[in-house]
mmCIF file of all heavy atoms in Angstrom:
data_model
loop_
_atom_site.group_PDB
_atom_site.id
_atom_site.type_symbol
_atom_site.label_atom_id
_atom_site.label_comp_id
_atom_site.label_asym_id
_atom_site.label_seq_id
_atom_site.Cartn_x
_atom_site.Cartn_y
_atom_site.Cartn_z
ATOM 1 N N SER B 538 106.842 130.249 124.379
ATOM 2 C CA SER B 538 105.441 130.435 124.766
ATOM 3 C C SER B 538 104.570 129.500 123.944
ATOM 4 O O SER B 538 104.676 129.446 122.713
ATOM 5 C CB SER B 538 105.023 131.878 124.535
ATOM 6 O OG SER B 538 103.633 131.951 124.291
ATOM 7 N N PHE B 539 103.722 128.764 124.624
ATOM 8 C CA PHE B 539 102.818 127.861 123.902
ATOM 9 C C PHE B 539 101.826 128.656 123.083
ATOM 10 O O PHE B 539 101.454 128.284 121.985
ATOM 11 C CB PHE B 539 102.067 126.963 124.895
ATOM 12 C CG PHE B 539 102.902 125.824 125.411
ATOM 13 C CD1 PHE B 539 103.819 126.022 126.423
ATOM 14 C CD2 PHE B 539 102.765 124.566 124.862
ATOM 15 C CE1 PHE B 539 104.584 124.980 126.891
ATOM 16 C CE2 PHE B 539 103.533 123.515 125.326
ATOM 17 C CZ PHE B 539 104.450 123.711 126.338
ATOM 18 N N LYS B 540 101.406 129.768 123.656
ATOM 19 C CA LYS B 540 100.378 130.558 122.991
ATOM 20 C C LYS B 540 100.899 131.110 121.658
ATOM 21 O O LYS B 540 100.252 130.966 120.622
ATOM 22 C CB LYS B 540 99.959 131.698 123.916
ATOM 23 C CG LYS B 540 98.586 132.241 123.625
ATOM 24 C CD LYS B 540 98.326 133.480 124.459
ATOM 25 C CE LYS B 540 96.930 134.011 124.160
ATOM 26 N NZ LYS B 540 96.724 135.312 124.835
ATOM 27 N N ALA B 551 96.445 124.166 123.084
ATOM 28 C CA ALA B 551 96.277 122.781 123.534
ATOM 29 C C ALA B 551 96.961 121.814 122.580
ATOM 30 O O ALA B 551 97.606 120.853 123.010
ATOM 31 C CB ALA B 551 94.793 122.460 123.642
ATOM 32 N N SER B 554 100.673 121.939 123.123
ATOM 33 C CA SER B 554 100.987 121.271 124.373
ATOM 34 C C SER B 554 101.059 119.760 124.175
ATOM 35 O O SER B 554 101.972 119.091 124.662
ATOM 36 C CB SER B 554 99.914 121.620 125.406
ATOM 37 O OG SER B 554 100.132 120.922 126.599
ATOM 38 N N GLN B 555 100.110 119.234 123.435
ATOM 39 C CA GLN B 555 100.097 117.787 123.217
ATOM 40 C C GLN B 555 101.263 117.338 122.351
ATOM 41 O O GLN B 555 101.844 116.274 122.579
ATOM 42 C CB GLN B 555 98.766 117.381 122.581
ATOM 43 C CG GLN B 555 97.620 117.459 123.548
ATOM 44 C CD GLN B 555 96.265 117.348 122.877
ATOM 45 O OE1 GLN B 555 95.909 116.325 122.319
ATOM 46 N NE2 GLN B 555 95.504 118.421 122.913
ATOM 47 N N LYS B 558 104.352 117.345 124.462
ATOM 48 C CA LYS B 558 104.325 116.240 125.403
ATOM 49 C C LYS B 558 104.665 114.921 124.703
ATOM 50 O O LYS B 558 105.400 114.088 125.236
ATOM 51 C CB LYS B 558 102.950 116.144 126.055
ATOM 52 C CG LYS B 558 102.974 115.252 127.266
ATOM 53 C CD LYS B 558 101.630 115.140 127.929
ATOM 54 C CE LYS B 558 101.719 114.137 129.061
ATOM 55 N NZ LYS B 558 100.390 113.719 129.522
ATOM 56 N N ARG B 571 108.558 124.227 132.961
ATOM 57 C CA ARG B 571 107.380 125.090 132.994
ATOM 58 C C ARG B 571 107.421 125.951 134.235
ATOM 59 O O ARG B 571 107.115 125.487 135.346
ATOM 60 C CB ARG B 571 106.105 124.256 133.001
ATOM 61 C CG ARG B 571 105.629 123.798 131.627
ATOM 62 C CD ARG B 571 106.415 122.649 131.087
ATOM 63 N NE ARG B 571 105.707 121.961 129.999
ATOM 64 C CZ ARG B 571 106.242 120.990 129.303
ATOM 65 N NH1 ARG B 571 107.475 120.598 129.537
ATOM 66 N NH2 ARG B 571 105.541 120.396 128.359
ATOM 67 P P DA C 155 88.611 139.299 134.903
ATOM 68 O OP1 DA C 155 88.050 140.527 134.306
ATOM 69 O OP2 DA C 155 87.882 138.017 134.809
ATOM 70 O "O5'" DA C 155 90.082 139.099 134.323
ATOM 71 C "C5'" DA C 155 91.094 140.054 134.652
ATOM 72 C "C4'" DA C 155 92.451 139.487 134.274
ATOM 73 O "O4'" DA C 155 92.865 138.521 135.262
ATOM 74 C "C3'" DA C 155 92.475 138.770 132.921
ATOM 75 O "O3'" DA C 155 93.602 139.223 132.192
ATOM 76 C "C2'" DA C 155 92.588 137.296 133.284
ATOM 77 C "C1'" DA C 155 93.325 137.349 134.615
ATOM 78 N N9 DA C 155 93.048 136.230 135.509
ATOM 79 C C8 DA C 155 91.826 135.713 135.827
ATOM 80 N N7 DA C 155 91.880 134.707 136.673
ATOM 81 C C5 DA C 155 93.236 134.557 136.929
ATOM 82 C C6 DA C 155 93.956 133.666 137.749
ATOM 83 N N6 DA C 155 93.387 132.734 138.495
ATOM 84 N N1 DA C 155 95.302 133.791 137.770
ATOM 85 C C2 DA C 155 95.874 134.752 137.020
ATOM 86 N N3 DA C 155 95.304 135.640 136.216
ATOM 87 C C4 DA C 155 93.969 135.490 136.221
ATOM 88 P P DC C 156 93.753 138.883 130.633
ATOM 89 O OP1 DC C 156 94.268 140.084 129.961
ATOM 90 O OP2 DC C 156 92.507 138.226 130.168
ATOM 91 O "O5'" DC C 156 94.897 137.793 130.656
ATOM 92 C "C5'" DC C 156 96.113 138.062 131.341
ATOM 93 C "C4'" DC C 156 96.880 136.783 131.482
ATOM 94 O "O4'" DC C 156 96.303 135.990 132.539
ATOM 95 C "C3'" DC C 156 96.806 135.900 130.218
ATOM 96 O "O3'" DC C 156 98.116 135.715 129.723
ATOM 97 C "C2'" DC C 156 96.182 134.595 130.686
ATOM 98 C "C1'" DC C 156 96.448 134.633 132.189
ATOM 99 N N1 DC C 156 95.473 133.843 132.995
ATOM 100 C C2 DC C 156 95.954 132.961 133.966
ATOM 101 O O2 DC C 156 97.183 132.879 134.148
ATOM 102 N N3 DC C 156 95.072 132.227 134.694
ATOM 103 C C4 DC C 156 93.761 132.360 134.478
ATOM 104 N N4 DC C 156 92.942 131.624 135.216
ATOM 105 C C5 DC C 156 93.259 133.246 133.486
ATOM 106 C C6 DC C 156 94.143 133.963 132.766
ATOM 107 P P DG C 157 98.311 135.278 128.197
ATOM 108 O OP1 DG C 157 99.212 136.217 127.526
ATOM 109 O OP2 DG C 157 96.972 134.979 127.645
ATOM 110 O "O5'" DG C 157 99.075 133.898 128.379
ATOM 111 C "C5'" DG C 157 100.234 133.853 129.199
ATOM 112 C "C4'" DG C 157 100.400 132.444 129.708
ATOM 113 O "O4'" DG C 157 99.286 132.129 130.585
ATOM 114 C "C3'" DG C 157 100.376 131.389 128.598
ATOM 115 O "O3'" DG C 157 101.580 130.661 128.648
ATOM 116 C "C2'" DG C 157 99.152 130.537 128.896
ATOM 117 C "C1'" DG C 157 98.885 130.798 130.370
ATOM 118 N N9 DG C 157 97.479 130.688 130.739
ATOM 119 C C8 DG C 157 96.413 131.336 130.179
ATOM 120 N N7 DG C 157 95.262 131.035 130.732
ATOM 121 C C5 DG C 157 95.609 130.125 131.724
ATOM 122 C C6 DG C 157 94.790 129.446 132.664
ATOM 123 O O6 DG C 157 93.556 129.510 132.799
ATOM 124 N N1 DG C 157 95.540 128.623 133.495
ATOM 125 C C2 DG C 157 96.895 128.470 133.428
ATOM 126 N N2 DG C 157 97.440 127.627 134.302
ATOM 127 N N3 DG C 157 97.675 129.099 132.558
ATOM 128 C C4 DG C 157 96.963 129.912 131.746
ATOM 129 P P DA C 158 101.828 129.495 127.604
ATOM 130 O OP1 DA C 158 103.278 129.440 127.356
ATOM 131 O OP2 DA C 158 100.881 129.613 126.482
ATOM 132 O "O5'" DA C 158 101.428 128.214 128.473
ATOM 133 C "C5'" DA C 158 102.166 127.932 129.642
ATOM 134 C "C4'" DA C 158 101.597 126.713 130.334
ATOM 135 O "O4'" DA C 158 100.249 126.995 130.756
ATOM 136 C "C3'" DA C 158 101.546 125.455 129.473
ATOM 137 O "O3'" DA C 158 102.116 124.381 130.204
ATOM 138 C "C2'" DA C 158 100.061 125.242 129.226
ATOM 139 C "C1'" DA C 158 99.427 125.887 130.450
ATOM 140 N N9 DA C 158 98.071 126.408 130.207
ATOM 141 C C8 DA C 158 97.689 127.318 129.273
ATOM 142 N N7 DA C 158 96.411 127.596 129.299
ATOM 143 C C5 DA C 158 95.916 126.807 130.333
ATOM 144 C C6 DA C 158 94.634 126.648 130.863
ATOM 145 N N6 DA C 158 93.563 127.294 130.410
ATOM 146 N N1 DA C 158 94.482 125.778 131.883
ATOM 147 C C2 DA C 158 95.564 125.129 132.335
ATOM 148 N N3 DA C 158 96.835 125.202 131.916
ATOM 149 C C4 DA C 158 96.937 126.075 130.899
ATOM 150 P P DT C 159 102.254 122.959 129.558
ATOM 151 O OP1 DT C 159 103.372 122.270 130.223
ATOM 152 O OP2 DT C 159 102.223 123.080 128.095
ATOM 153 O "O5'" DT C 159 100.929 122.246 130.037
ATOM 154 C "C5'" DT C 159 100.811 121.861 131.390
ATOM 155 C "C4'" DT C 159 99.427 121.319 131.648
ATOM 156 O "O4'" DT C 159 98.448 122.234 131.152
ATOM 157 C "C3'" DT C 159 99.118 119.982 130.977
ATOM 158 O "O3'" DT C 159 99.049 119.018 132.010
ATOM 159 C "C2'" DT C 159 97.795 120.190 130.271
ATOM 160 C "C1'" DT C 159 97.283 121.490 130.878
ATOM 161 N N1 DT C 159 96.419 122.347 130.022
ATOM 162 C C2 DT C 159 95.073 122.408 130.312
ATOM 163 O O2 DT C 159 94.562 121.789 131.218
ATOM 164 N N3 DT C 159 94.341 123.240 129.491
ATOM 165 C C4 DT C 159 94.826 124.003 128.435
ATOM 166 O O4 DT C 159 94.073 124.709 127.784
ATOM 167 C C5 DT C 159 96.232 123.887 128.186
ATOM 168 C C7 DT C 159 96.838 124.666 127.063
ATOM 169 C C6 DT C 159 96.957 123.082 128.982
ATOM 170 P P DT C 160 99.091 117.488 131.656
ATOM 171 O OP1 DT C 160 99.688 116.806 132.815
ATOM 172 O OP2 DT C 160 99.681 117.318 130.317
ATOM 173 O "O5'" DT C 160 97.552 117.089 131.584
ATOM 174 C "C5'" DT C 160 96.717 117.351 132.708
ATOM 175 C "C4'" DT C 160 95.272 117.189 132.314
ATOM 176 O "O4'" DT C 160 94.860 118.278 131.476
ATOM 177 C "C3'" DT C 160 94.966 115.905 131.537
ATOM 178 O "O3'" DT C 160 94.174 115.097 132.383
ATOM 179 C "C2'" DT C 160 94.228 116.378 130.283
ATOM 180 C "C1'" DT C 160 93.852 117.807 130.613
ATOM 181 N N1 DT C 160 93.794 118.784 129.490
ATOM 182 C C2 DT C 160 92.613 119.443 129.251
ATOM 183 O O2 DT C 160 91.594 119.246 129.891
ATOM 184 N N3 DT C 160 92.663 120.348 128.229
ATOM 185 C C4 DT C 160 93.753 120.658 127.431
ATOM 186 O O4 DT C 160 93.657 121.496 126.548
ATOM 187 C C5 DT C 160 94.959 119.927 127.734
ATOM 188 C C7 DT C 160 96.186 120.177 126.927
ATOM 189 C C6 DT C 160 94.918 119.044 128.734
ATOM 190 P P DA C 161 93.812 113.606 131.983
ATOM 191 O OP1 DA C 161 93.604 112.872 133.241
ATOM 192 O OP2 DA C 161 94.743 113.096 130.964
ATOM 193 O "O5'" DA C 161 92.389 113.808 131.316
ATOM 194 C "C5'" DA C 161 91.407 114.557 132.000
ATOM 195 C "C4'" DA C 161 90.110 114.549 131.230
ATOM 196 O "O4'" DA C 161 90.136 115.622 130.245
ATOM 197 C "C3'" DA C 161 89.824 113.265 130.444
ATOM 198 O "O3'" DA C 161 88.450 112.941 130.634
ATOM 199 C "C2'" DA C 161 90.149 113.617 129.004
ATOM 200 C "C1'" DA C 161 89.846 115.106 128.958
ATOM 201 N N9 DA C 161 90.671 115.876 128.032
ATOM 202 C C8 DA C 161 91.991 115.691 127.733
ATOM 203 N N7 DA C 161 92.467 116.557 126.873
ATOM 204 C C5 DA C 161 91.386 117.378 126.590
ATOM 205 C C6 DA C 161 91.245 118.491 125.756
ATOM 206 N N6 DA C 161 92.221 119.009 125.008
ATOM 207 N N1 DA C 161 90.018 119.079 125.702
ATOM 208 C C2 DA C 161 89.022 118.572 126.443
ATOM 209 N N3 DA C 161 89.048 117.523 127.275
ATOM 210 C C4 DA C 161 90.274 116.974 127.296
ATOM 211 P P DA C 162 87.852 111.674 129.904
ATOM 212 O OP1 DA C 162 86.937 111.021 130.864
ATOM 213 O OP2 DA C 162 88.942 110.892 129.267
ATOM 214 O "O5'" DA C 162 86.976 112.344 128.757
ATOM 215 C "C5'" DA C 162 86.169 113.491 129.060
ATOM 216 C "C4'" DA C 162 85.448 113.964 127.819
ATOM 217 O "O4'" DA C 162 86.350 114.747 126.997
ATOM 218 C "C3'" DA C 162 84.950 112.831 126.933
ATOM 219 O "O3'" DA C 162 83.703 113.217 126.386
ATOM 220 C "C2'" DA C 162 86.020 112.729 125.857
ATOM 221 C "C1'" DA C 162 86.422 114.195 125.696
ATOM 222 N N9 DA C 162 87.786 114.403 125.230
ATOM 223 C C8 DA C 162 88.881 113.616 125.454
ATOM 224 N N7 DA C 162 89.984 114.071 124.901
ATOM 225 C C5 DA C 162 89.583 115.245 124.278
ATOM 226 C C6 DA C 162 90.278 116.208 123.523
ATOM 227 N N6 DA C 162 91.584 116.133 123.268
ATOM 228 N N1 DA C 162 89.575 117.256 123.050
ATOM 229 C C2 DA C 162 88.258 117.331 123.323
ATOM 230 N N3 DA C 162 87.491 116.485 124.018
ATOM 231 C C4 DA C 162 88.224 115.458 124.475
#
Side-chain angles (χ1 to χ4, degrees):
Chain B
S538 153
F539 282 80
K540 203 188 180 187
S554 176
Q555 288 168 66
K558 194 180 175 195
R571 276 77 162 175

